[in-house]
Amino acid sequence: MGEPVLAASVAQPITMEGRNIIVLYGSETGNGEEIAMELAKMAERLHFNTVVGEMDDFKLTDLLRYSLAIFVTSTTGQGDMPKNTTTLWKSLRRTKLNNTNCLAPVKFSIFGLGDSSYPKFNWAARKLRVRLLQLGASEFFRPGEADERHENGLDSIYLPWYQELRESLLSQFPLPKGIEPIPDDAQLPPKYNIRLVPSTGSVKDKITNGEGHVSQVEDNEQLAARFERMSTDSEATEAPGQKDGTDVPDSPPAKLLPIPGSSTAQVVCNKRVTPEDHWQDVRHIEFKVRSPRRNGAMSFAGQTLLIYPKNYPEDVQKLIDLMEWSEVAEQRIEIDWAKGTRPRDYHIFKNATIRDVLTHNFDISAVPKRTFLEFMAYHTTNPLEKERLQELTQRGDSDEFYDYTSRPRRTILEVLEDFPGVKIPYTRLLEFPIIRPREFSLCNGGDPTVNVKDLVISDEQDTTTDVYKFEILAALVHYRTIIRKPRQGLCSRYLRHLPVGTTVQIGIKPPSSPFAMDDPSFYSRPLIGVATGTGIAPFRALLQDRCLVQDQQKMGPTLLFFGCRNAAADYHFREEWYTVPNLTVHPAFSRDNDSSSTEEETKLALQRAAGIYDAGKNYVQHQIRQHAAEVGELLRRNPIIVVCGNSGRMPKSVREALEDAAVGSGVVVDREEAKGWFDRKENCVYWQETW
């Protein structure tokens, strides 16, 4: 079958002296990277010579070589810069640069990605902007700040900002007469080149000659009727089983990617800890990994475990069939990259085939971004499909796009099934989103070294390494929307079916906590914990760390407010709390005793209609207010406060409850004083770990 005929022309930007722009991003999850790539493509369409890359790939002096600079950064942890910005950020913060105006020639704009449930919303972008201005740089366009909490996500702020930026670039930096912007329906050339490694046989000739696909053409009336059903279709086909004559295994292959800084771990426990009839499948999973030996006890409390999931073979095969790649699927590939264009988290096997990279590298079960649907429109020759894809991706109307993709959680694979005329060439594989590692807070602390026993990856003769145990508490994503087939996360599916003894690829991410766990005061200071659901994981790790103190009498008092639905279903680790010295637990079971009279129900309905979402419930914020005296007693003793769990309404509600407790217990005079009290380190350390 080979290479399909492109449905859209490829336009080459015109190179003009002095018309250049650099787009630098800082990103943890890939959102910042994706926006940076989209902004770079927009600039290319305006004939800017464009360079895009991670901030740490560039030096401070590199900024001076470009007419314009655009920064895109997320905020991580407690208002921190992303990991791939730290080198440039450190360079910018050097004291000797103060009052030098060293960046006076730089004209920049900045776009921040944040989550308003965190106290330091978009802090990284704000810090970066202030420092650039201090060093003499000037803004050519206003800053933008997106909020993941918004109903339509980041796009609510980003799309209008994007459009205004484009208009501003054309206005401030007009194109010469006779040169027009590259239209959106023309495809830009890729920044990479994928080549098939020649093999013997007749297939080779078809591949190297770029032979096109023969697409099945639907009757226009049939196609129009199918589009009519798309946004409400609840008859999505179930994933197929093994095809006749095709050897498709049931689970992902054991082969592991060569990821720098990662380790090979073995699954030693994968246990469901919620009842089978509970609405959520929560797993307590333990891994063991061999790592270089270190002197003395050590702890990983507060750190994050990175899991690298894989696609299932049946899904990979379905994509291969849809794109008509069967004759090239087992061919080895090589990739040439333009400078700065290799995606983060993209690691490839030596001699990898197309099937290999589809299995290990591309998230085909992700909900597609707008840019992917725009890309699909370039690769269909069916005019009705092209028109429908263009309607869905109109930047002025995001509701239709969200109704089709995000709200029902349609996957890339399902969208490609809806548009059978789309045939993406294998040479554009890298337009698919990269599989990013999934993050899970470690739920074990103390000394994680364990004895070597029945460990597949162990070497009994190795005396230079130790075996460490890592535990996570994972709530698996599995739910229903208007689409009949249940929705499940890529990593959730991967973890659900991991047998004991399986080897997996993991990484460790340093803690974002604003306190040092090797500080002696960590053990003696009071600890106030507020955790909901699997948010108990990092708090459990901290408690196990505190229990390392030799004199248990010196361990500071601990107050835990834990929220879940039912005492019998998801009160995680309840049996452990009785063994921890100096610990008081106040659980909040939101679904137990959930009965009230008609009069009470009417009253609650009125309160909820007035915007009091937690009226009549038993949430952690209610327990904090009920035990304000206990909270106040610890607030007077310079405590560590840890808030872990869902990043929706909970963090804000907990903060307000703590402020009320501070007022009610006399720690502060009024609510106004309470608002700033928790931000001052001389009063407390406030750590929020939510997701």
Side-chain angles (χ1 to χ4, degrees):
M1 299 293 179
E3 188 75 50
V5 177
L6 292 181
S9 60
V10 177
Q12 186 71 44
I14 299 171
T15 301
M16 287 179 267
E17 187 176 350
R19 191 177 179 87
N20 52 54
I21 192 168
I22 185 171
V23 184
L24 299 179
Y25 65 86
S27 181
E28 292 281 344
T29 63
N31 286 331
E33 179 180 2
E34 181 170 341
I35 284 179
M37 294 297 180
E38 186 176 8
L39 292 173
K41 288 178 181 177
M42 179 263 282
E44 278 191 80
R45 292 185 182 278
L46 303 183
H47 300 284
F48 281 92
N49 181 23
T50 306
V51 173
V52 60
E54 296 178 292
M55 290 190 202
D56 277 355
D57 287 342
F58 294 84
K59 298 178 181 178
L60 197 58
T61 53
D62 292 332
L63 297 177
L64 303 176
R65 302 207 312 265
Y66 295 89
S67 308
L68 301 171
I70 298 176
F71 295 87
V72 180
T73 183
S74 59
T75 297
T76 184
Q78 316 304 304
D80 301 322
M81 302 291 293
K83 185 178 179 181
N84 61 344
T85 70
T86 51
T87 302
L88 182 63
W89 178 236
K90 184 178 180 180
S91 179
L92 283 167
R93 293 181 63 196
R94 286 177 294 173
T95 306
K96 68 178 183 180
L97 298 181
N98 293 346
N99 303 315
T100 62
N101 280 337
C102 60
L103 296 183
V106 175
K107 295 181 175 64
F108 77 96
S109 185
I110 191 164
F111 190 80
L113 292 77
D115 183 332
S116 58
S117 69
Y118 279 79
K120 294 184 177 181
F121 171 62
N122 262 313
W123 212 251
R126 295 177 186 181
K127 290 191 297 188
L128 178 58
R129 175 177 177 266
V130 167
R131 187 55 177 164
L132 291 170
L133 292 172
Q134 286 175 344
L135 297 181
S138 58
E139 291 178 291
F140 73 88
F141 184 67
R142 67 174 181 84
E145 291 187 351
D147 183 3
E148 289 185 3
R149 293 294 110 200
H150 197 284
E151 181 182 358
N152 286 343
L154 301 173
D155 277 358
S156 300
I157 301 298
Y158 169 64
L159 290 179
W161 187 87
Y162 170 99
Q163 195 59 39
E164 289 179 35
L165 173 64
R166 183 182 184 279
E167 293 168 1
S168 178
L169 286 171
L170 276 175
S171 173
Q172 295 185 62
F173 311 96
L175 289 165
K177 189 175 181 180
I179 298 179
E180 297 294 328
I182 297 173
D184 289 340
D185 59 359
Q187 192 172 193
L188 294 171
K191 299 288 188 181
Y192 53 86
N193 178 38
I194 296 180
R195 303 188 315 279
L196 294 177
V197 177
S199 59
T200 58
S202 60
V203 173
K204 171 189 171 184
D205 298 329
K206 292 183 180 180
I207 294 167
T208 55
N209 289 338
E211 197 171 282
H213 287 279
V214 179
S215 302
Q216 180 179 357
V217 179
E218 287 184 275
D219 176 84
N220 281 352
E221 290 187 7
Q222 293 176 319
L223 191 61
R226 177 163 54 82
F227 286 154
E228 185 70 25
R229 295 194 306 268
M230 268 189 205
S231 59
T232 57
D233 182 16
S234 60
E235 299 299 321
T237 55
E238 298 288 342
Q242 182 170 316
K243 289 191 169 188
D244 291 338
T246 305
D247 184 17
V248 180
D250 295 330
S251 57
K255 196 172 181 180
L256 302 176
L257 285 175
I259 301 171
S262 67
S263 302
T264 300
Q266 181 188 2
V267 179
V268 294
C269 173
N270 187 352
K271 178 176 68 174
R272 177 167 179 158
V273 294
T274 50
E276 290 295 331
D277 60 352
H278 188 59
W279 72 282
Q280 189 174 52
D281 182 353
V282 178
R283 299 294 177 104
H284 185 196
I285 306 176
E286 296 182 19
F287 304 90
K288 287 183 181 178
V289 61
R290 185 175 286 283
S291 187
R293 175 163 292 173
R294 311 182 192 192
N295 294 326
M298 61 177 300
S299 170
F300 290 95
Q303 301 197 32
T304 302
L305 191 74
L306 305 178
I307 302 287
Y308 297 87
K310 310 173 188 179
N311 288 311
Y312 270 68
E314 62 181 6
D315 293 336
V316 172
Q317 185 60 49
K318 180 185 284 189
L319 180 62
I320 289 170
D321 292 341
L322 284 170
M323 296 299 102
E324 300 180 2
W325 292 339
S326 295
E327 291 188 352
V328 297
E330 312 308 330
Q331 293 293 308
R332 292 186 292 122
I333 61 171
E334 292 179 351
I335 305 176
D336 299 321
W337 308 88
K339 183 180 178 181
T341 60
R342 186 182 181 117
R344 282 191 324 116
D345 300 319
Y346 183 79
H347 309 283
I348 188 172
F349 295 123
K350 184 179 181 180
N351 299 323
T353 65
I354 286 178
R355 189 182 296 276
D356 285 334
V357 296
L358 291 176
T359 300
H360 296 273
N361 295 102
F362 299 115
D363 197 346
I364 60 179
S365 65
V367 175
K369 303 287 188 180
R370 183 185 309 275
T371 50
F372 189 80
L373 266 65
E374 291 173 342
F375 170 72
M376 285 173 56
Y378 298 137
H379 296 285
T380 179
T381 54
N382 190 304
L384 285 180
E385 287 192 350
K386 183 181 288 288
E387 181 181 355
R388 179 59 178 149
L389 287 165
Q390 289 171 345
E391 287 174 356
L392 287 169
T393 55
Q394 285 291 328
R395 285 187 168 81
D397 181 15
S398 60
D399 284 343
E400 192 166 8
F401 170 75
Y402 276 91
D403 286 341
Y404 176 63
T405 57
S406 296
R407 292 189 177 104
R409 309 303 294 173
R410 259 188 185 82
T411 67
I412 285 176
L413 202 53
E414 289 167 336
V415 170
L416 288 170
E417 287 183 289
D418 280 347
F419 294 88
V422 173
K423 302 300 175 187
I424 298 170
Y426 67 82
T427 53
R428 300 304 292 261
L429 267 176
L430 288 167
E431 304 301 327
F432 284 84
I434 300 295
I435 293 177
R436 307 287 183 184
R438 273 45 172 187
E439 299 184 2
F440 297 89
S441 295
L442 287 174
C443 69
N444 66 303
D447 185 358
T449 53
V450 296
N451 293 324
V452 181
K453 182 180 180 182
D454 300 325
L455 193 62
V456 172
I457 58 172
S458 69
D459 180 357
E460 298 288 352
Q461 306 304 315
D462 186 355
T463 59
T464 64
T465 61
D466 278 325
V467 174
Y468 297 93
K469 178 177 72 172
F470 299 119
E471 302 175 37
I472 62 172
L473 189 67
L476 304 188
V477 177
H478 192 273
Y479 58 94
R480 290 186 178 274
T481 65
I482 61 171
I483 299 175
R484 186 178 66 185
K485 183 180 178 182
R487 308 290 89 189
Q488 56 182 329
L490 173 66
C491 194
S492 293
R493 184 183 182 191
Y494 179 63
L495 292 177
R496 177 182 283 112
H497 302 294
L498 270 184
V500 169
T502 305
T503 54
V504 298
Q505 204 79 8
I506 66 167
I508 292 291
K509 182 179 175 181
S512 63
S513 56
F515 52 86
M517 278 169 259
D518 56 356
D519 185 336
S521 69
F522 165 70
Y523 300 97
S524 59
R525 292 174 71 174
L527 176 62
I528 300 174
V530 185
T532 58
T534 57
I536 195 63
F539 189 80
R540 177 182 184 248
L542 291 179
L543 279 185
Q544 290 186 358
D545 252 30
R546 282 163 69 91
C547 288
L548 285 176
V549 64
Q550 292 184 351
D551 186 352
Q552 296 287 299
Q553 297 301 316
K554 292 182 179 180
M555 194 170 95
T558 303
L559 191 56
L560 169 61
F561 297 95
F562 178 61
C564 61
R565 290 198 172 195
N566 312 103
D570 52 352
Y571 188 7
H572 303 307
F573 306 118
R574 64 181 301 172
E575 69 284 351
E576 297 182 13
W577 307 139
Y578 303 108
T579 66
V580 179
N582 266 347
L583 170 65
T584 302
V585 183
H586 295 300
F589 306 119
S590 63
R591 296 298 189 273
D592 288 348
N593 301 319
D594 197 11
S595 60
S596 54
S597 66
T598 303
E599 182 180 345
E600 289 172 328
E601 285 292 342
T602 303
K603 181 180 178 182
L604 292 175
L606 290 172
Q607 289 177 324
R608 288 167 187 158
I612 307 174
Y613 81 94
D614 58 357
K617 296 294 184 180
N618 181 25
Y619 293 154
V620 284
Q621 57 263 37
H622 301 116
Q623 291 295 318
I624 291 171
R625 290 187 175 96
Q626 288 178 28
H627 299 89
E630 291 177 66
V631 174
E633 181 182 344
L634 298 191
L635 290 180
R636 290 183 172 87
R637 298 168 58 184
N638 191 227
I640 298 169
I641 301 174
V642 180
V643 181
C644 305
N646 185 273
S647 62
R649 292 167 165 169
M650 185 274 290
K652 182 179 179 182
S653 298
V654 165
R655 178 68 174 245
E656 291 172 349
L658 289 170
E659 290 169 1
D660 287 343
V663 175
S665 61
V667 174
V668 296
V669 175
D670 54 29
R671 188 68 180 273
E672 192 62 34
E673 183 184 354
K675 287 181 179 179
W677 191 91
F678 289 92
D679 294 327
R680 292 193 288 274
K681 290 184 178 179
E682 62 269 23
N683 296 332
C684 68
V685 172
Y686 198 97
W687 178 34
Q688 181 175 311
E689 187 75 17
T690 54
W691 48 85

